[in-house]
Amino acid sequence: MTDSTPATATARALPRARRPKGVSADAPGMRAALYVRLSRETENSTSPERQRAACEALCAARGWQVVVVEEDIDVSGYSRGLDRPGLQRILARLAEFDVIVFFKIDRLARSTVDFAEIMKVTQAEGVALASASEPLDLTSSMGRAMAKVIAVFAELESDTIGMRVSSAHEHLRREGRYTGGRVPYGYRVVPNPDGAGKILEINPDEAKTIHEIVQRVLNQDSLLKIAVDLTESDKPSPGHSSRQTTGKRSDSKRWYPSTLRSLLGNPQLLGQVIEDGEPILMTDGLPLVNRPPILDVDTWQALQDELGRRANPGNRRREGTALLRGIVHCAVCRNRMYTYVAKGRVRYRCIGRLKARQAGTELTCYGVSIAGEGMEQHVTALFLEKFGAFPVVRMVEHVGEDFRPQIRQAREALEDLEKDRYDRGLFKGEEGAERYAAQYAKLEERLASLNEKQRTAKPAGVEAVPTGRTHAQLWKDADTAGKRDLLLNAGAYVEVGMSRKGGPRLDTSRLAVYFGEDGEIRRADADAKDVEAVVQRAAAQTLELF
């Protein structure tokens, strides 16, 4: 904000005569620019009015004329450096005054580097610097040296304040309090029912949206399709200005696949507390959880496994890929068949002939080809006939519970407590004995509780969870990549033999279509993979299908 001078001041600053080097800034009649800065106004801060009053008092005492007053309110001198609007306006008008007056050095600059840069710029223009609360004469070498020393301590104080604020925020987060910033999607800010401050609680509407997204991801829907549907539903995205009051905001409600990946990969959905992008850990090394989780651990693990599968270059779903790519093989040379376009129609052909020529080996295959649309329709019909009515289930892996490390820790704590009393002579006197007995009883109670939990601990395992949809329903809603995934999960394998007769219609006698373990084994053998490993995996997939 710019404050014009009183009515008695001249309307236009007159050209300033250069002040000879070494002349004290105490000389009367000098033109002054007042600078006021405040990061955040609190009861303990020096208000802009108090800063300005102190600067004006100094000018009045020395006979200086106030030419301009500039303020930077709610502007950090530490994070913004010299990039402050009020300060920049002063530095742009150095030819119009003789001295810059500020309340304290830390109001002008929070770092030694910034202060030295300001001194360099002002000295080049013959402009003095004056502090209203510090007895410094910055026109002399000794005064400038002392100012730099003060600036060093101001920077140290700023760093110390930053460390105190960071520690205070971490303490509040550990206590379950909300410390400001972006609100995680799925939560909302409410008053703390147990005391001062605010906390985060689950936002029912956003939590419902998250559960719907997770269910669709686990049901093999693409992130792109989910993002499009969310945008069309007009639901605000996580960064929309309607739910974010600070930080990076957007006026667009549009969702993107990257938005979903960031949301679904955030451990805050488990109720974990995040600081600087990482979960806060407890003393036992486990993440701190002090707010209600939106997802349970089993769902979270299944979700991360699915996202990891999609991110894996070897298993990544390719949008727009051919339906039978990687599934259809040549019956002559057992090489994979790839698509090409001939006369506007998609066909599959074997490239075994090309591979043999490149390798310099004997040609054993003339290059089998077949119309793509008819073959895809035939394989689709067989798949739906065989699996369409079967329900789709999701295999959920339970991590299992193991309290043995905590039991060992509790036993060691009991042993240490006994050594403290009997070997080290601690807990002396009547009060000491009472404290010892109380601590010992608590540890024994905790050990008994852990032993009981270990006795009834949930074992690790895999559970088939129904999705409520059939394979036919899932096929209808899936895109090409999703349908290809369904075929691969069903163990689909297709071999194309040589053409026996011409004609526009598909000769299905050329096709051998396999599903299940038989198809998995044949595809692994054709691709030169470990057949034994495929047998074991196919058995697990059979459980998932049936």
Side-chain angles (χ1 to χ4, degrees):
M1 132 177 183
T2 303
D3 188 351
S4 300
T5 58
T8 56
T10 57
R12 180 174 61 86
L14 298 176
R16 169 174 48 80
R18 296 289 180 179
R19 179 165 39 80
K21 203 169 185 181
V23 175
S24 173
D26 293 339
M30 296 177 64
R31 290 167 295 180
L34 308 189
Y35 178 69
V36 175
R37 185 187 67 80
L38 192 64
S39 296
R40 183 178 300 173
E41 190 165 3
T42 64
E43 293 180 357
N44 299 324
S45 63
T46 305
S47 68
E49 291 76 19
R50 289 176 56 195
Q51 292 186 41
R52 177 171 176 171
C55 294
E56 289 176 342
L58 176 66
C59 292
R62 298 191 178 183
W64 295 343
Q65 178 188 7
V66 177
V67 175
V68 66
V69 178
E70 293 288 358
E71 294 182 353
D72 281 321
I73 307 301
D74 288 332
V75 177
S76 170
Y78 181 79
S79 60
R80 295 288 294 272
L82 300 182
D83 185 20
R84 290 170 263 157
L87 178 62
Q88 288 299 317
R89 286 193 291 268
I90 286 181
L91 297 180
R93 299 173 58 184
L94 290 179
E96 300 178 18
F97 39 80
D98 304 289
V99 60
I100 300 174
V101 182
F102 42 86
F103 181 68
K104 290 177 63 176
I105 286 181
D106 64 2
R107 299 299 89 197
L108 185 64
R110 271 296 195 180
S111 76
T112 310
V113 174
D114 290 344
F115 183 72
E117 181 64 23
I118 293 173
M119 287 184 60
K120 177 181 177 182
V121 172
T122 53
Q123 283 179 358
E125 295 293 329
V127 176
L129 301 174
S131 170
S133 59
E134 297 157 336
L136 296 175
D137 179 8
L138 303 184
T139 61
S140 66
S141 298
M142 183 59 69
R144 289 191 292 272
M146 288 299 297
K148 290 180 180 179
V149 171
I150 294 176
V152 169
F153 281 99
E155 182 177 4
L156 176 62
E157 179 187 9
S158 177
D159 292 341
T160 304
I161 291 173
M163 293 175 62
R164 287 201 302 267
V165 170
S166 178
S167 299
H169 281 186
E170 181 177 352
H171 173 73
L172 291 176
R173 292 189 186 101
R174 289 184 180 275
E175 295 296 319
R177 300 262 291 277
Y178 170 66
T179 59
R182 297 194 63 174
V183 180
Y185 192 83
Y187 292 91
R188 62 187 178 191
V189 182
V190 296
N192 182 12
D194 300 323
K198 298 180 179 180
I199 63 171
L200 294 178
E201 72 171 12
I202 291 179
N203 184 321
D205 294 336
E206 293 182 354
K208 180 181 178 182
T209 299
I210 291 174
H211 283 289
E212 291 173 353
I213 295 172
V214 171
Q215 191 61 44
R216 292 187 62 178
V217 171
L218 295 178
N219 286 344
Q220 307 297 311
D221 279 3
S222 70
L223 294 183
L224 178 60
K225 188 175 188 302
I226 298 173
V228 170
D229 292 344
L230 287 170
T231 301
E232 292 178 351
S233 70
D234 203 36
K235 292 181 180 178
S237 60
H240 189 259
S241 54
S242 64
R243 63 175 310 277
Q244 293 291 352
T245 57
T246 60
K248 187 177 181 180
R249 293 172 289 173
S250 171
D251 292 329
S252 172
K253 293 184 178 181
R254 188 175 182 83
W255 291 72
Y256 299 92
S258 58
T259 307
L260 293 173
R261 279 191 290 269
S262 176
L263 170 63
L264 300 177
N266 194 333
Q268 290 186 109
L269 296 178
L270 292 173
Q272 296 181 14
V273 184
I274 305 299
E275 183 179 51
D276 296 332
E278 298 293 335
I280 294 179
L281 302 180
M282 298 185 294
T283 54
D284 58 3
L286 297 177
L288 172 65
V289 178
N290 61 6
R291 64 180 62 134
I294 295 176
L295 300 180
D296 60 79
V297 175
D298 290 337
T299 303
W300 167 265
Q301 293 294 345
L303 175 63
Q304 302 314 305
D305 289 343
E306 174 61 21
L307 293 175
R309 184 191 70 81
R310 299 187 186 194
N312 188 319
N315 297 322
R316 182 176 299 147
R317 298 173 57 163
R318 289 175 288 186
E319 303 295 338
T321 187
L323 178 64
L324 299 181
R325 185 184 180 96
I327 296 174
V328 61
H329 291 69
C330 173
V332 178
C333 63
R334 307 197 72 185
N335 277 300
R336 286 188 179 187
M337 298 179 67
Y338 296 88
T339 57
Y340 72 103
V341 178
K343 297 182 179 179
R345 296 180 180 272
V346 175
R347 296 183 63 86
Y348 288 80
R349 67 178 174 185
C350 172
I351 60 172
R353 184 181 182 89
L354 175 61
K355 286 185 175 181
R357 185 184 301 126
Q358 291 175 340
T361 59
E362 183 181 354
L363 302 180
T364 59
C365 180
Y366 66 88
V368 175
S369 70
I370 191 170
E373 182 178 0
M375 180 174 62
E376 290 176 353
Q377 290 176 350
H378 178 68
V379 174
T380 297
L382 292 177
F383 170 79
L384 293 178
E385 178 184 351
K386 187 175 183 63
F387 301 108
F390 285 108
V392 178
V393 297
R394 173 167 53 88
M395 305 308 293
V396 177
E397 182 177 357
H398 297 293
V399 178
E401 297 175 324
D402 186 4
F403 298 94
R404 286 175 295 181
Q406 299 177 48
I407 291 174
R408 183 171 61 251
Q409 186 181 42
R411 287 174 176 167
E412 292 174 352
L414 276 173
E415 294 175 0
D416 289 341
L417 189 62
E418 291 176 352
K419 289 180 180 179
D420 285 342
R421 178 169 173 80
Y422 299 108
D423 295 350
R424 302 184 181 98
L426 303 180
F427 298 98
K428 295 180 179 179
E430 183 177 346
E431 293 183 358
E434 291 178 356
R435 290 196 302 272
Y436 172 80
Q439 291 188 30
Y440 200 91
K442 288 182 179 179
L443 283 173
E444 281 191 322
E445 182 181 354
R446 174 171 172 76
L447 182 59
S449 174
L450 290 171
N451 283 325
E452 178 62 22
K453 289 182 178 179
Q454 181 63 28
R455 187 180 66 82
T456 59
K458 180 177 67 175
V462 179
E463 177 186 5
V465 179
T467 64
R469 305 174 74 186
T470 65
H471 281 76
Q473 292 172 330
L474 194 59
W475 181 276
K476 180 181 178 181
D477 296 334
D479 55 11
T480 302
K483 291 175 180 178
R484 177 173 172 270
D485 278 349
L486 288 173
L487 290 173
L488 289 171
N489 290 337
Y493 175 81
V494 179
E495 281 188 349
V496 180
M498 293 183 294
S499 177
R500 297 183 178 89
K501 58 182 179 179
R505 300 186 63 179
L506 175 71
D507 179 11
T508 57
S509 65
R510 298 177 58 193
L511 302 178
V513 183
Y514 304 90
F515 291 103
E517 184 176 350
D518 193 14
E520 286 275 7
I521 294 174
R522 289 174 180 271
R523 188 167 66 243
D525 188 37
D527 293 340
K529 294 183 178 179
D530 185 356
V531 175
E532 183 63 30
V534 173
V535 171
Q536 297 177 1
R537 186 172 68 251
Q541 290 177 341
T542 302
L543 290 175
E544 183 175 350
L545 288 170
F546 298 100

